[in-house]
Amino acid sequence: MSTVLSEWTSALTKLQASVTKDLAEIRKQKAEIQQLKDDIYTRLSEELYIHNDKRIILSAPEVIIGNVDANGMLYGDSGIVIIRGGKVNLEGSGETGTVSTKASIIEQKAVDPGADGIQEAVLSNSKIINQAKNIVIQSNESDGYFSQTPISTGGTGVRIHADENLEIDVTKSVETRGKTIDGLLSTLNKDKTDLSMAATKQISGVTALTTEMELLLKTEDLLNASEILTRTNVVDLDAAQDKFEAMVPAMHNALDSCIRTLSQLAETNRRITALKAEQKKLNADKSNFKKETINTHLTLRAESLDIEAVDGDGNIRENPEAVINVQTGKVRINTCKADGSLIDDSSVVITTKNMVVDTANPKLDDKGNGEIPTVGSFKVRAKDMAFESVDNTIKDGKLEEKEQTKDSVFNVRVENTNFSSLDAKENSTSGRFMVGVENVILASHDKDKNVSGSFSVMHQQMLMASIDKDGNATGSFKVNVEKTDVAAVDKGGKALGQIVLNGKDVFVKSMDTDDKGKDKNLAAGGNMVLVAEKMFLGRTAKKNTAKQVQISADKTGLYGTSTTEVQQGDGKAIVQLDGGNLSMSGSNMQLYGNTTANSNVEFKAEVKAPKLTADNLEAKTSFKSANISDGIAIPGAPSTASLSAKLKEEDAPEPKQNS
C-alpha cells in the first residue's frame, strides 16, 4: 500500500542524491521538498503556524518578538529569532528614528543564505552598503562597560577609531590563502563524512518509522474494513490511533533533522567544490604571483592629508616604538598635474632632526650575523640644488639668515666621485664648479694615513675660492699628494688655455719638511722645470716690475740657442752673447782681479795702464813716453762704438679673467 509516508521517504532519497550536484540542482530539490515539508508539518506538527497570502501586520506602540514572558523578559536569556525573506527592511522613521542592534557578537555577511538559512553562497552582487551623513566606527579597549562614547566627526564625514590596532588591508595571497583553503577542505571533508553517515542513519530511522506507521495504517484499514468490524474493533482502533499519534512527534523530529542534515551536507559539498576551484586557480597563479600585478589598490583622496603618530590626548609620541613605516618595492611621491607636468609652486618639504637615506642590502643569517653591502643608487635631479647648514631668525614674520651653523660638517665618503657638467648629446662639458670655504682638504689615504689614489677634476670653468663677503681672499687651500699634475691640454695633448697662480706670497719648492710642515732641507734628487715658448721672470709690465730677483745655486747655467742678453735699465749696460760673440757695453766698464785674454785683443780707444809688460811691443803710428820720444805722436780718436740691444723688453700677456 502506497501512502504519503512513502512519498516523504522517496523525496528524502532524491534530496540525498542531489547533495553532490551544483547549486541550481540543490535549489530545485529544496524547492520540491518545500511542498513536502508543508505537508509533513501540516499533518504532523504541533507548532502554531500562521500564514496569509497577502500581508500580516503586527501593530502596537511597542512590539517585542522573542522567547519572552508577559513582561517582555527573555526566558533564561535564550531563544532564537530568525527573520527570513527575499527582502528585509528595518526602518526607524522620523527625525529621531533609530535602528539599534546590540549583541555580544554582531555578524554581517553579504551571502545568499538559501531558503533554509544554511547556505552561504557568495554571489557576484555581494555587497554591504552603509550610507549616512555621519558614520562612526569605534573600537575601545574596555572590560565590562565602554567608558568612551563614540565621537562624531562634528559634521559630514567618516570617523574610524581604535585604541590599539587599525588595519586597512588590500592584499592578495597565494601561500597563506592556499594553506587556509587546505585547512578548510580538511575540516569540510571530515564534516562531509560525518554528515553523510548521519544522513544515512537518519534516513534509515525515518524509513523504520515510516514502515511502522504504515503498518499501523494498514492495521487500521483492516480493522475498519466494514461497519461490523469497526464496531467490533473499536478498542483496537483507538489503541492503534493512540500509538500512531504518539509516533507523530518522533516522525516530526526525525524528518526535520534529516532534512536539515541533508541541507548541511549539500552546503558542505558546495563549499568543497567552490574551494577546490579557488585552489586550482591559486595553483595556476602561484608561479607568476610575485612577478605579475595582483591588481590591488588603496586610494586616499583629500585636499589635505595628515598622518600623525599621536596618542588620545593629542601628544606627539616620542618613544622609540612610535614610528610611521612605509614598506614597498617602489615609492613614488609627485606633485604633478593630470598631464604629468609639475604644479606651479609645488614643493615637498621634509623637516626632521636626523635623516638617513639607506640603500644597504643586509644578507644576514638566522643569528643576525652577516654582510650589509651598500647597493642601489641615489639621484637628485633639479635645476637649482643647494645644501645649506645655516641658522635663521624670524623678524616681523620674515625668515632671515642669522649665521652659518657652527661646527657644521658636510661629508661625502665614496670610492669613486664624479662631478661633471656634461652635455650627454654632444659629450662636451660646460658650466662651473665652485668651492668657497675657509679650509679645503682633499685626501686619499690608506688605513695608516699614507696618501694614495688619484684626484681628477675636469671642467670647462672651475673656481675654488675662500673669500669674505667683500670678495677678499681668506683661509687656505692645501693639496698634499705624492704626484701633482696640473694641465691645460686637449685630448691630443696640445697645450691650451692658461694656469694662473696669484697670491701675496707664492712658493714653489721641492723640499723635505719636519712634522710641523716647516722647511727642513732640499729634497734629494728633486727637480724643478719651468719652460715655455716665451718666459717672463720678474715683470708683467713696465709698471709691474719686480724690485729684486735673486738666483742662488751651487751651479748656475744661463743658456741661449741664438742670443743671450743681460740689460740694465734702457740699455745703459748690456752683456750680450750672440752668434758666438760676447759683447759688453756700459758707460763705465771695470774688470777686477787677474784678467787673461787668450786671444787677440783690440782696443779702439785709449788704454791707460800704470805698468805694461809686453813680450813684444809694436807701435804702428807713434810711440810716446815721458822719457823717450820716437816718431810722431798722433793721439788716437776717442771711441764712439756702442752696443745695440738685440732683445726688446716686452710686457707679459695678461691672464684671461674667469667669467
Side-chain angles (χ1 to χ4, degrees):
M1 180 182 67
S2 177
T3 64
V4 70
L5 297 173
S6 300
E7 295 176 4
W8 296 348
T9 305
S10 176
L12 289 174
T13 303
K14 289 182 180 180
L15 180 59
Q16 183 183 27
S18 72
V19 295
T20 58
K21 302 299 177 65
D22 58 18
L23 184 59
E25 179 63 24
I26 294 173
R27 285 177 172 173
K28 178 182 176 182
Q29 292 299 327
K30 284 185 177 181
E32 290 180 359
I33 207 170
Q34 194 69 32
Q35 290 300 117
L36 171 63
K37 291 172 67 178
D38 288 343
D39 189 17
I40 293 171
Y41 294 148
T42 298
R43 292 171 180 264
L44 305 179
S45 178
E46 296 178 346
E47 300 171 350
L48 175 62
Y49 176 69
I50 300 174
H51 176 74
N52 186 281
D53 290 331
K54 294 182 179 179
R55 184 166 61 168
I56 296 176
I57 297 176
L58 298 177
S59 176
E62 183 178 2
V63 178
I64 298 176
I65 299 174
N67 186 23
V68 298
D69 59 18
N71 295 315
M73 304 298 292
L74 277 172
Y75 285 112
D77 291 338
S78 64
I80 298 174
V81 177
I82 298 174
I83 300 176
R84 185 174 296 152
K87 183 177 181 181
V88 178
N89 292 339
L90 294 177
E91 300 176 359
S93 65
E95 292 187 4
T96 59
T98 303
V99 175
S100 178
T101 304
K102 295 180 181 179
S104 298
I105 300 173
I106 298 176
E107 180 180 355
Q108 284 183 303
K109 286 186 179 180
V111 296
D112 178 11
D116 52 12
I118 295 175
Q119 181 180 285
E120 289 189 4
V122 180
L123 306 182
S124 59
N125 63 343
S126 174
K127 58 186 174 183
I128 295 176
I129 299 175
N130 291 301
Q131 184 174 5
K133 292 186 65 174
N134 198 317
I135 297 176
V136 178
I137 301 174
Q138 183 153 325
S139 169
N140 293 119
E141 184 187 9
S142 298
D143 292 323
Y145 182 73
F146 285 123
S147 58
Q148 293 178 275
T149 302
I151 301 174
S152 172
T153 60
T156 300
V158 177
R159 184 179 188 274
I160 302 176
H161 169 83
D163 281 355
E164 287 193 354
N165 297 305
L166 175 63
E167 293 186 13
I168 300 176
D169 192 336
V170 187
T171 61
K172 288 182 180 178
S173 66
V174 169
E175 297 293 339
T176 303
R177 198 170 184 179
K179 291 178 181 178
T180 301
I181 291 175
D182 289 340
L184 288 173
L185 285 174
S186 177
T187 301
L188 289 172
N189 283 321
K190 183 179 182 302
D191 292 344
K192 177 182 177 180
T193 300
D194 296 340
L195 289 170
S196 296
M197 294 174 61
T200 300
K201 184 177 180 181
Q202 288 171 356
I203 290 175
S204 297
V206 171
T207 302
L209 283 172
T210 300
T211 301
E212 189 174 352
M213 292 177 74
E214 284 182 338
L215 182 60
L216 287 173
L217 292 175
K218 185 176 181 182
T219 301
E220 284 185 352
D221 289 341
L222 292 175
L223 294 175
N224 202 23
S226 64
E227 291 183 6
I228 296 173
L229 290 174
T230 300
R231 293 190 189 97
T232 305
N233 299 314
V234 169
V235 176
D236 293 333
L237 286 170
D238 289 341
Q241 184 63 33
D242 291 341
K243 188 174 182 181
F244 185 89
E245 291 179 357
M247 295 178 67
V248 166
M251 175 60 81
H252 175 277
N253 293 334
L255 286 170
D256 191 61
S257 297
C258 188
I259 292 172
R260 180 165 291 277
T261 299
L262 289 173
S263 295
Q264 290 176 341
L265 180 58
E267 174 63 10
T268 299
N269 283 323
R270 189 195 67 79
R271 293 181 184 182
I272 290 174
T273 301
L275 288 173
K276 284 184 176 179
E278 185 176 351
Q279 187 180 56
K280 183 178 179 181
K281 185 177 183 304
L282 285 179
N283 291 334
D285 296 341
K286 185 177 294 186
S287 59
N288 296 323
F289 180 75
K290 293 184 178 180
K291 299 177 182 178
E292 297 181 356
T293 180
I294 57 176
N295 296 314
T296 60
H297 190 71
L298 174 64
T299 300
L300 299 176
R301 288 192 180 100
E303 184 179 7
S304 177
L305 294 177
D306 291 333
I307 300 177
E308 299 178 346
V310 300
D311 56 29
D313 297 326
N315 301 313
I316 297 176
R317 303 301 301 174
E318 299 182 19
N319 50 297
E321 295 79 11
V323 64
I324 295 175
N325 287 315
V326 177
Q327 183 174 0
T328 179
K330 297 177 181 177
V331 176
R332 180 179 297 141
I333 300 174
N334 69 60
T335 57
C336 298
K337 301 178 182 177
D339 61 358
S341 62
L342 289 174
I343 298 172
D344 295 339
D345 298 327
S346 60
S347 63
V348 176
V349 178
I350 300 175
T351 303
T352 182
K353 187 172 184 180
N354 298 296
M355 183 174 179
V356 177
V357 178
D358 193 346
T359 63
N361 185 26
K363 297 180 180 179
L364 308 178
D365 55 23
D366 295 338
K367 296 181 179 179
N369 301 319
E371 303 295 328
I372 308 179
T374 298
V375 299
S377 62
F378 176 72
K379 185 175 183 178
V380 177
R381 180 186 297 153
K383 184 177 180 180
D384 186 4
M385 290 178 284
F387 293 88
E388 294 182 351
S389 180
V390 297
D391 298 335
N392 297 307
T393 60
I394 296 180
K395 186 176 182 180
D396 297 329
K398 185 178 179 181
L399 185 68
E400 296 180 355
E401 181 175 327
K402 179 182 178 183
E403 61 182 355
Q404 184 172 273
T405 303
K406 301 298 183 183
D407 300 325
S408 56
V409 178
F410 180 75
N411 289 320
V412 177
R413 183 183 177 191
V414 64
E415 185 174 357
N416 297 303
T417 304
N418 181 15
F419 290 93
S420 67
S421 178
L422 184 67
D423 185 336
K425 185 177 181 180
E426 300 295 334
N427 199 29
S428 60
T429 59
S430 60
R432 182 176 64 178
F433 178 74
M434 179 176 178
V435 178
V437 296
E438 184 174 356
N439 295 294
V440 178
I441 298 176
L442 301 175
S444 177
H445 54 75
D446 59 21
K447 63 181 181 179
D448 298 322
K449 301 301 180 180
N450 296 317
V451 175
S452 60
S454 63
F455 175 72
S456 299
V457 178
M458 292 180 288
H459 217 288
Q460 185 179 5
Q461 293 184 5
M462 183 170 61
L463 174 64
M464 293 187 180
S466 180
I467 58 178
D468 59 20
K469 63 181 180 179
D470 298 323
N472 299 317
T474 60
S476 64
F477 178 75
K478 184 177 182 179
V479 178
N480 187 6
V481 297
E482 184 178 358
K483 296 180 180 179
T484 304
D485 185 1
V486 181
V489 297
D490 61 15
K491 61 182 180 180
K494 183 179 179 180
L496 73 167
Q498 66 181 16
I499 297 173
V500 178
L501 298 176
N502 187 21
K504 184 175 182 180
D505 294 318
V506 180
F507 298 90
V508 181
K509 52 189 178 179
S510 175
M511 299 192 72
D512 296 332
T513 60
D514 57 19
D515 55 357
K516 294 182 179 180
K518 292 184 178 181
D519 295 344
K520 186 167 62 175
N521 52 258
L522 291 172
N527 295 285
M528 181 176 295
V529 178
L530 299 174
V531 62
E533 187 175 5
K534 284 187 176 182
M535 294 187 65
F536 299 86
L537 180 66
R539 149 177 177 155
T540 60
K542 188 172 184 179
K543 63 179 180 179
N544 293 320
T545 302
K547 293 184 177 180
Q548 178 178 332
V549 176
Q550 178 175 311
I551 299 175
S552 301
D554 290 344
K555 296 179 181 179
T556 302
L558 184 64
Y559 304 91
T561 302
S562 60
T563 301
T564 300
E565 186 174 283
V566 179
Q567 297 182 30
Q568 179 190 11
D570 295 329
K572 294 179 179 179
I574 300 173
V575 178
Q576 187 180 88
L577 290 86
D578 181 63
N581 298 320
L582 169 63
S583 301
M584 293 184 293
S585 175
S587 59
N588 187 5
M589 295 178 60
Q590 297 182 9
L591 299 176
Y592 295 92
N594 296 330
T595 302
T596 301
N598 292 316
S599 186
N600 296 331
V601 178
E602 180 179 356
F603 297 96
K604 292 185 177 182
E606 293 182 354
V607 178
K608 294 181 180 180
K611 180 181 179 181
L612 175 64
T613 301
D615 293 338
N616 186 13
L617 181 64
E618 179 181 354
K620 289 186 175 183
T621 57
S622 66
F623 179 84
K624 185 178 180 179
S625 172
N627 299 317
I628 301 174
S629 178
D630 185 14
I632 300 172
I634 302 175
S639 175
T640 59
S642 63
L643 179 63
S644 298
K646 298 183 70 66
L647 302 182
K648 182 180 179 181
E649 191 173 18
E650 300 179 21
D651 292 342
E654 294 185 359
K656 296 179 180 180
Q657 298 298 319
N658 291 324
S659 58

